Amino acid sequence: MKNRIYRGEPPQNQPKGPAIILVHTQMGENIGMAARAMLNCGLTDLRLVAPRDGWPSEIAQRASSGALAVIDQAKLYDTLADAVADCTFVVATTSRTRDMVKPVLTPDTAAAAILTADQTAQKPVSALVFGAERTGLENDDLTLCDALLNIPLNPEYMSLNIAQAVLLTSYTWYQKMLVATDAAVPDQLAVDDKDIATKQETEYLLQHMQDALDESGFFTAENLRPTVLRNLRNTFQRMRLSRQETHTFHGIIKSLRGKEWKKSS
Amino acid sequence: MKNRIYRGEPPQNQPKGPAIILVHTQMGENIGMAARAMLNCGLTDLRLVAPRDGWPSEIAQRASSGALAVIDQAKLYDTLADAVADCTFVVATTSRTRDMVKPVLTPDTAAAAILTADQTAQKPVSALVFGAERTGLENDDLTLCDALLNIPLNPEYMSLNIAQAVLLTSYTWYQKMLVATDAAVPDQLAVDDKDIATKQETEYLLQHMQDALDESGFFTAENLRPTVLRNLRNTFQRMRLSRQETHTFHGIIKSLRGKEWKKSS
C-alpha cells in the first residue's frame, strides 16, 4: 500500500460523521495514529478528555502522518460529560462484558445507527468514545452513552490498540456512508471495457483457432470435438478479451502454424 | 479498547481464510503489526517475499504484540511467484490506478470473492498481497494476481501503512466470514472452481506458450517482448483456468507446433 503523506483535508460533500472522543489517553502516539485513521475516513472532529501527557503534543503531531487538519482542531475537555454535551447519539467502545442494560453494537450496526441518528436529529452530533490504553472506559463513562460497541474478533486473540479500534470503526462508518449516500463507490468489477472485443471479433478468433486445430490434427476423437470446442468457447468468453488481445491471439496462432489464416466464407 | 497481550492462537472451527503475502517489506515493525492485525482476525498464514532486513526479525516479534503463532510460522520466499505457487485465488492491493484489465475489488467484494473461491476450489489457497512501503507492487507482480484491491478512503487524504491495510482487509474478511459464508460474489469470479489450476500450473502453461512463441519467431521486435508477455500473462490469469483447461491449452500449443514441449530446467 503506497504511503502518501501530506497535509490532509476533509473531503467535500460528505456527511460530517461521528466525533471521535478519546478519554484519558496515555500515549500521544495513539492520539496521532487515531487522527490519521480518522482523516482517512473523512472524519475531523477529534475530542480529547484529559490526555495524560497534556495537549498540544508534538508526539501526536508526528504520529499523525500529516493529518494536521484533525490534530490542530482537536478540542480539549476535562470530563466525558463535557465532551458529549452537544452530542445527540453516543456509542462507547468496550471489550469487556458489562452488566449494563444497553444495546451492544458491532462496528457495522453502530455505523448504521449513527447514519440514521445523524439523518433524524435536528442538530445531529454523533460520537464514538474510546477509553484509556489499559483500563478502557469507566462504568460512569458508559452511563453517558446510548449504546456499547464491541468489535468481533478472534476469541483466542484480541489485541487492538486505540488507533486500530478507531480505524476499524471509522472505516466501517465510511463504507456504509458511501453506500448510503450512493457516493462514488468503485464498481465491483470496474474492468476497463473501453476496448472490449465485440462478439463477432471473438467469434473470428475462435474460428481461426478451430481451423488451425482441425488442420493440425488436434481432434483425435471426432465425437469429442463439439464438447472440446464448446469448452474452448466458454474459456475465451470468460476472458472478455479486448480487441488488442484478439489481435495478439490471431498472431500467436499464425506464428505457431507458420502460416496466415484464410477465413472460410 | 483494552489491550490484552498474550501468545495468540488461531481460533477453532473457522475457515482458514486468505494467506497474507508481504512483498519486499522494509520495516520489521510493519511485519509485526501486520501479524497482530492478522491474528485478531483469525488469519495465520503469513508469507514474506524477501523482507529488506532479513528474517527472523526481533523487531517484528516485538511489534506483533504476542501474535507469535503467526510470526514463528511465517514462510520466506525469494519471489512472489514462489509465494503464490500453491494459490488458487490471489488479490493484490494497490492504491494506484493501473492500466491492466483486471477486476478491481474493494475489501468487501474481495472478502466475498475469497470466501466463494475458498468454498469452491478443491484445495483452496487464497491470498492478499501487499507491496513495499513506498513503492507498492511492481507491474510484474500484479500479473500474477487474479484481481486488484483498492481501499475506498477519503480522496483528499489517503495514508495507510501496510499493517493498517492488512487490518482493514483482514477484518472485512473476518466479518463477512462470520455473517455469511454464502455471500454474493461478482459474476466474473463465479467460475466453477472445483478444479481450479494452481498458479504453478498456470505458470507452466505460460512457459510452454512462451517457448513455443520464441521458437516460432513470434516476437519480431525484441523490445516489445516483455510487454506482450505481460499482457498475455494477465489475459490468462483473468481466465482462471481449470486444471483440465490448462491441459487443453498445452494440447493446443503442442498440436499447432507439431511437437512436444520440453520444459527448460
Side-chain angles (χ1 to χ4, degrees):
Chain A
M1 184 67 26
K2 201 162 163 240
N3 207 351
R4 298 188 233 160
I5 296 179
Y6 48 88
R7 190 182 196 288
E9 295 297 337
Q12 307 299 309
N13 306 320
Q14 174 190 306
K16 187 174 161 292
I20 300 294
I21 305 181
L22 305 183
V23 179
H24 295 157
T25 312
Q26 300 184 312
M27 297 168 64
E29 193 177 13
N30 283 335
I31 299 174
M33 293 285 286
R36 176 185 186 178
M38 287 172 63
L39 194 54
N40 268 299
C41 305
L43 301 180
T44 53
D45 187 349
L46 174 60
R47 306 178 178 201
L48 305 173
V49 177
R52 185 189 65 184
D53 296 339
W55 195 259
S57 156
E58 260 187 51
I59 294 174
Q61 278 184 346
R62 252 179 285 130
S64 76
S65 286
L68 300 177
V70 177
I71 290 284
D72 292 349
Q73 293 167 41
K75 279 161 274 178
L76 200 60
Y77 301 88
D78 289 330
T79 66
L80 180 58
D82 294 341
V84 300
D86 66 334
C87 291
T88 47
F89 184 62
V90 179
V91 180
T93 59
T94 169
S95 61
R96 278 174 287 171
T97 313
R98 317 272 191 153
D99 50 354
M100 292 199 177
V101 184
K102 282 188 192 288
V104 178
L105 307 175
T106 64
D108 192 63
T109 55
I114 288 169
L115 284 167
T116 302
D118 285 355
Q119 274 179 343
T120 48
Q122 212 162 26
K123 290 186 181 177
V125 183
S126 293
L128 288 164
V129 185
F130 299 81
E133 279 83 349
R134 280 167 208 290
T135 49
L137 290 166
E138 308 279 329
N139 279 344
D140 281 349
D141 292 335
L142 297 182
T143 61
L144 293 164
C145 301
D146 297 291
L148 306 183
L149 187 156
N150 194 267
I151 304 180
L153 293 169
N154 176 3
E156 307 297 323
Y157 177 90
M158 294 189 218
S159 167
L160 284 191
N161 67 28
I162 293 168
Q164 291 170 320
V166 170
L167 179 63
L168 290 182
T169 49
S170 300
Y171 174 78
T172 304
W173 174 83
Y174 187 73
Q175 299 310 306
K176 216 173 231 348
M177 182 278 295
L178 286 180
V179 173
T181 58
D182 207 17
V185 183
D187 197 332
Q188 283 203 340
L189 288 171
V191 178
D192 181 4
D193 276 1
K194 276 198 302 290
D195 192 38
I196 196 83
T198 65
K199 291 300 170 195
Q200 189 172 56
E201 285 161 339
T202 307
E203 183 59 31
Y204 281 161
L205 174 60
L206 288 163
Q207 279 181 27
H208 185 177
M209 179 169 294
Q210 185 176 322
D211 287 353
L213 293 177
D214 277 332
E215 193 198 72
S216 71
F218 177 71
F219 299 107
T220 47
E222 184 62 27
N223 58 332
L224 288 180
R225 186 171 173 280
T227 307
V228 174
L229 282 176
R230 193 167 59 226
N231 290 344
L232 259 184
R233 251 161 219 287
N234 278 331
T235 309
F236 275 90
Q237 292 297 348
R238 217 162 70 213
M239 281 199 270
R240 310 198 66 229
L241 292 169
S242 70
R243 180 165 297 142
Q244 179 55 49
E245 286 167 338
T246 64
H247 294 328
T248 304
F249 273 103
H250 279 295
I252 286 174
I253 301 168
K254 174 187 153 193
S255 177
L256 293 177
R257 294 177 87 184
K259 63 187 244 192
E260 290 274 358
W261 176 51
K262 284 205 193 75
K263 188 176 169 309
S264 53
S265 70
Chain B
M1 184 68 23
K2 203 163 159 238
N3 207 351
R4 301 188 232 159
I5 297 177
Y6 48 87
R7 189 180 197 290
E9 295 297 336
Q12 305 301 310
N13 307 320
Q14 175 191 306
K16 187 174 162 293
I20 300 293
I21 304 180
L22 306 182
V23 180
H24 295 158
T25 312
Q26 300 184 310
M27 296 169 66
E29 191 175 14
N30 282 336
I31 299 175
M33 293 286 285
R36 176 186 186 176
M38 288 172 65
L39 195 54
N40 268 300
C41 305
L43 300 179
T44 53
D45 188 350
L46 175 61
R47 304 176 180 203
L48 305 172
V49 177
R52 185 190 63 183
D53 296 339
W55 194 258
S57 155
E58 260 186 50
I59 294 175
Q61 278 182 347
R62 254 180 282 130
S64 76
S65 286
L68 300 177
V70 177
I71 291 284
D72 291 349
Q73 292 167 41
K75 278 161 273 176
L76 200 61
Y77 300 88
D78 289 330
T79 67
L80 180 59
D82 294 340
V84 300
D86 65 335
C87 290
T88 48
F89 184 62
V90 180
V91 179
T93 58
T94 169
S95 61
R96 278 173 286 172
T97 313
R98 317 273 191 151
D99 52 352
M100 291 201 177
V101 184
K102 282 188 192 285
V104 178
L105 306 176
T106 64
D108 192 63
T109 55
I114 287 169
L115 283 166
T116 299
D118 285 355
Q119 273 180 344
T120 48
Q122 214 161 26
K123 290 185 179 177
V125 183
S126 292
L128 288 164
V129 185
F130 299 82
E133 278 85 348
R134 279 166 208 290
T135 49
L137 291 165
E138 308 278 328
N139 278 346
D140 280 348
D141 293 333
L142 297 182
T143 61
L144 293 165
C145 301
D146 297 291
L148 306 182
L149 186 154
N150 196 268
I151 303 180
L153 292 170
N154 176 3
E156 306 297 324
Y157 178 88
M158 295 186 215
S159 166
L160 284 191
N161 66 28
I162 292 168
Q164 290 169 322
V166 170
L167 179 64
L168 289 182
T169 49
S170 300
Y171 174 79
T172 304
W173 173 83
Y174 188 72
Q175 300 308 308
K176 212 174 235 346
M177 183 276 295
L178 287 181
V179 170
T181 48
D182 60 336
V185 175
D187 271 350
Q188 198 165 348
L189 299 173
V191 180
D192 178 7
D193 275 358
K194 275 198 303 294
D195 191 40
I196 195 83
T198 66
K199 293 298 170 194
Q200 192 168 56
E201 286 162 338
T202 307
E203 182 61 30
Y204 281 161
L205 174 61
L206 288 163
Q207 279 183 26
H208 185 177
M209 179 169 294
Q210 186 175 322
D211 287 354
L213 294 177
D214 277 332
E215 195 197 71
S216 71
F218 176 70
F219 299 107
T220 45
E222 183 63 25
N223 59 331
L224 289 179
R225 186 171 173 279
T227 306
V228 174
L229 282 176
R230 192 165 63 221
N231 290 343
L232 259 185
R233 251 161 219 288
N234 275 331
T235 309
F236 274 91
Q237 291 294 349
R238 219 163 67 214
M239 280 198 271
R240 310 202 67 228
L241 293 170
S242 71
R243 180 165 297 141
Q244 179 54 49
E245 287 167 338
T246 64
H247 294 329
T248 303
F249 273 103
H250 278 295
I252 286 174
I253 301 169
K254 175 186 153 194
S255 177
L256 293 178
R257 294 175 88 185
K259 65 187 244 192
E260 290 275 358
W261 178 50
K262 282 204 194 77
K263 190 178 168 309
S264 51
S265 76

